[in-house]
Amino acid sequence: IISAQCDVEYKAAEDEKNDTLKFKMYSRLLECYYKTDDFDGGGKVISKLEALMSVLVKKYKDSTYYRFYLGEITSFYFYKGDMVKCLEASNTLLNYNYRRSDLSQIAGSLGNIAILYRKSGNYPKAIHYLQESIKLNSKIGKKDLAGNYSNLANVYSDINQPDKAKEYFIKALRLRLEQNDEKGIALSYANLGNYYSNNEQFDSAIYYYSKAIFLNEKQHAPDSKKALTLNNYTGLFIQQNKLDSAIKYLKLTEKLLNEKSNPFMLAHFYENRGDISKRQHKFKEAIVDYNLSIKLSVQNKDINRLAGLYLSKSRSFYGLRDIDSTVANK
């Protein structure tokens, strides 16, 4: 249904004669393609936006069309999972915002770049950019401050500072509750689920994951957002060795994914499936899935995930009593 809707909206944008309206229609169309992880369709629209942007900048002598286009391509590469191109575009956008002295946009760019550094395992830079973004957002009272707190908490979780992580997760949730930001609240619940799962407080993790899943359904969230929480929920049950529940949520996650889905999410899904097979002593099947996850994680420079994957793969080879491969895999 959504794909058919995207086709209708694309034709309407193509038929529009007014360049400004056409630009806005193409921009809205990107969200439609993101809902179905259709990055071929999204890439086609990005090319259209680039051509129109050049026309509009010259026609109106207004560079904000260029800024808007840069924002769209950073989102496109982020959703697609191409972190290298996303970082390049994000730095170009940051420099543009500095030239315009736009504090709100500078803060947004700093926060987005921090997320990219976190995903690539560069935690000192992630913390630096987040702290700079927090300084600006605190001055101008931006709603994005909750997102800064949430992302900083994720970094502290990654570097094993759970007390600081919890402090900032709670700060983010309180701010979103004050703002009645339901989408943000759902994200905070999911983050707290991750926090409690990582700290093996499983009852609390289940409580927050359940609240996040409920809000995602209520808001008709995109499949990608639902799959993210379900992926984490699957991992929670794997940790507890509750494989029947893990398989149940793995299958629910699989229904929301396809070969075009965000590669970070696919890497997590294959890792979960490999972990289940390993615990079932199906070591050959586990290794196949770990290899799929490793390939995607190398592509994304997801250092944090790779460390765990190589260890899990080694243990699977050990389960097969393939000691040579175990040593080589280290």
Side-chain angles (χ1 to χ4, degrees):
I1 292 171
I2 295 173
S3 295
Q5 178 189 337
C6 294
D7 292 340
V8 170
E9 290 185 21
Y10 183 84
K11 187 177 186 309
E14 286 283 274
D15 293 341
E16 177 57 52
K17 302 301 181 186
N18 183 288
D19 285 342
T20 304
L21 286 177
K22 188 189 284 277
F23 188 86
K24 290 178 180 177
M25 291 170 75
Y26 279 134
S27 178
R28 286 197 300 269
L29 182 55
L30 282 171
E31 289 299 322
C32 188
Y33 284 120
Y34 293 155
K35 286 178 181 177
T36 55
D37 295 324
D38 184 353
F39 298 110
D40 291 336
K44 184 170 60 176
V45 172
I46 287 290
S47 297
K48 297 282 186 180
L49 275 176
E50 183 178 16
L52 267 176
M53 175 270 296
S54 299
V55 170
L56 290 166
V57 168
K58 289 177 184 176
K59 184 176 180 179
Y60 296 108
K61 295 181 173 54
D62 185 352
S63 65
T64 55
Y65 289 102
Y66 174 60
R67 186 203 64 75
F68 195 84
Y69 165 72
L70 287 175
E72 293 293 4
I73 61 172
T74 58
S75 296
F76 172 73
Y77 286 125
F78 183 80
Y79 287 130
K80 189 178 179 183
D82 189 334
M83 295 300 111
V84 174
K85 288 185 178 178
C86 185
L87 184 58
E88 290 173 2
S90 296
N91 278 315
T92 302
L93 179 57
L94 177 62
N95 290 332
Y96 172 89
N97 292 329
Y98 271 124
R99 289 196 300 273
R100 296 294 293 266
S101 299
D102 188 329
L103 296 185
S104 175
Q105 295 295 336
I106 291 169
S109 291
L110 289 168
N112 289 336
I113 290 171
I115 293 171
L116 300 177
Y117 279 124
R118 180 206 165 206
K119 285 188 174 291
S120 64
N122 192 333
Y123 299 116
K125 279 197 171 182
I127 291 171
H128 169 74
Y129 277 90
L130 279 168
Q131 288 174 336
E132 292 301 306
S133 185
I134 286 170
K135 286 178 189 175
L136 286 177
N137 278 325
S138 296
K139 285 182 182 178
I140 58 181
K142 280 286 288 179
K143 180 181 175 182
D144 294 343
L145 191 57
N148 290 152
Y149 289 151
S150 185
N151 289 323
L152 189 55
N154 281 322
V155 173
Y156 284 128
S157 284
D158 289 348
I159 61 177
N160 198 29
Q161 294 190 29
D163 291 340
K164 281 191 174 182
K166 186 177 182 180
E167 174 190 346
Y168 282 101
F169 279 137
I170 295 297
K171 275 189 174 185
L173 176 59
R174 284 175 178 164
L175 194 52
R176 284 164 170 163
L177 286 168
E178 287 174 13
Q179 296 164 343
N180 198 28
D181 174 12
E182 279 208 337
K183 288 184 180 178
I185 292 167
L187 182 58
S188 279
Y189 286 151
N191 282 330
L192 281 164
N194 294 341
Y195 168 81
Y196 285 114
S197 176
N198 292 337
N199 288 280
E200 298 186 353
Q201 297 179 46
F202 299 124
D203 289 343
S204 295
I206 289 171
Y207 172 76
Y208 282 107
Y209 280 144
S210 298
K211 287 172 79 72
I213 290 169
F214 172 78
L215 280 181
N216 284 338
E217 290 296 334
K218 179 184 174 184
Q219 297 161 11
H220 304 290
D223 286 352
S224 56
K225 185 170 286 189
K226 293 178 184 177
L228 180 64
T229 305
L230 289 171
N231 247 339
N232 292 331
Y233 213 15
T234 303
L236 172 68
F237 288 117
I238 293 170
Q239 277 182 276
Q240 299 176 85
N241 207 33
K242 295 180 178 179
L243 298 189
D244 289 342
S245 294
I247 292 166
K248 172 187 172 182
Y249 284 98
L250 183 84
K251 288 179 178 177
L252 289 173
T253 308
E254 189 171 19
K255 289 178 182 178
L256 300 173
L257 299 175
N258 58 64
E259 71 277 1
K260 295 178 181 177
S261 293
N262 183 295
F264 280 97
M265 203 173 306
L266 283 174
H268 192 181
F269 169 77
Y270 289 130
E271 181 181 20
N272 279 341
R273 198 164 71 180
D275 285 345
I276 290 171
S277 294
K278 177 164 66 70
R279 286 175 182 261
Q280 293 174 324
H281 295 167
K282 299 176 181 177
F283 299 115
K284 288 184 179 179
E285 292 178 23
I287 290 166
V288 169
D289 279 319
Y290 287 143
N291 283 336
L292 289 169
S293 187
I294 287 168
K295 182 180 178 181
L296 288 163
S297 299
V298 168
Q299 172 190 321
N300 302 323
K301 296 181 171 57
D302 190 350
I303 306 301
N304 200 38
R305 188 175 303 283
L306 279 169
L309 283 166
Y310 286 130
L311 179 60
S312 295
K313 187 177 170 184
S314 286
R315 286 173 173 167
S316 296
F317 279 122
Y318 184 80
L320 291 171
R321 296 298 184 265
D322 187 346
I323 305 303
D324 290 340
S325 294
T326 302
V327 174
N329 196 51
K330 289 180 180 177

